[in-house]
Amino acid sequence: MTNDLEAIRKGKILMLAGTDLAGKDLAGADLAGANLSQANLSGANLAGANLQRAVLRANLRGADLSGADLRGADFRNADLRGASFANALVRDASFGGAFLTGAAIGNLDLSGVDFRGADLRGANMARAILLAADLSNANLSGADLSGADLEEAILNGAVLRGANLTGANLLCATIEQTVWDGALLDRACLQGTPLSR
C-alpha cells in the first residue's frame, strides 16, 4: 500500500471509488478531478491537498481538509461530521445533502456553494461569506451565522431554529417558507427581504 499511496499522492491514480483510505496521510496530494465516491476517508489527513473538481461523495468523518483546494468539488451526501476546513478554498463546491453537523466552516469564502438539504445543525459558520449560496431546505438549527454575509443567498425552506444571525447580512436573500423560530437577528441586515417589511 505504501507504493500505492505515493502514486495516489502524486495524482497517478485518480480512480479511487470505494477505496479504504481511512486514517491515511494524503497531505498535499494532487487529487484534482479524482473519483473518491464511496471511499472511506474517515480521519484521513488531506491538509493542503488539491481536490479541485474531485468527486468526494464519501465518508470523510473527522478528516483534515485544512488548507485544501476544494473548489468545485462534489461532496453531495458525504459524511463530513467533525471534519476540519480551516483555510480551505471552497468556492463553488457542492455539499447538497451532506452531513456537516457541528462543522467548523466559519471565516471561509463559501460563495456560490450548494448546501441544498445539507445537515448543518450546530455548525460554526460565523463570518463566513455565503454570497449567493444555496441553502434551500438545509437544517441550520442552532448554527452560528453571526457576522456571516448571506447577501442574495437562497434560504427557501431552510430551518434556522435557534440559529445565531447576529450582525449577519441577509440583503436581498430569498427566504420563502424559512423557519426562524428562536433565531437571533440582532443587528442583522434584512433589507430587501420579506422580514424587512
Side-chain angles (χ1 to χ4, degrees), residues 7-179:
I8 291 169
R9 279 192 198 99
K10 293 179 178 176
K12 293 180 177 175
I13 303 174
L14 294 175
M15 182 51 70
L16 296 161
T19 306
D20 185 359
L21 295 166
K24 299 299 183 195
D25 183 3
L26 294 165
D30 184 3
L31 293 165
N35 183 348
L36 289 148
S37 291
Q38 308 302 314
N40 182 2
L41 290 153
S42 59
N45 180 4
L46 291 155
N50 180 1
L51 290 157
Q52 283 189 66
R53 300 172 316 283
V55 179
L56 289 150
R57 299 182 202 177
N59 177 0
L60 288 141
R61 199 167 188 166
D64 184 357
L65 293 156
S66 55
D69 189 342
L70 309 172
R71 290 174 293 178
D74 180 357
F75 288 97
R76 285 179 291 172
N77 302 312
D79 185 348
L80 291 151
R81 288 173 283 190
S84 171
F85 289 89
N87 301 312
L89 300 172
V90 194
R91 284 184 74 126
D92 300 316
S94 175
F95 290 91
F99 295 93
L100 288 148
T101 312
I105 49 179
N107 293 311
L108 293 179
D109 185 350
L110 302 167
S111 299
V113 171
D114 175 7
F115 285 109
R116 287 176 294 177
D119 186 346
L120 289 152
R121 289 175 294 166
N124 178 357
M125 302 172 83
R127 295 171 303 285
I129 300 169
L130 290 149
L131 206 66
D134 192 344
L135 293 140
S136 302
N137 302 309
N139 189 345
L140 292 145
S141 297
D144 183 359
L145 287 150
S146 57
D149 186 352
L150 290 146
E151 186 171 339
E152 296 184 4
I154 303 167
L155 291 158
N156 296 338
V159 177
L160 289 154
R161 191 173 284 116
N164 181 1
L165 289 135
T166 303
N169 176 19
L170 290 151
L171 183 69
C172 298
T174 309
I175 55 170
E176 292 177 19
Q177 299 180 337
T178 304
V179 178

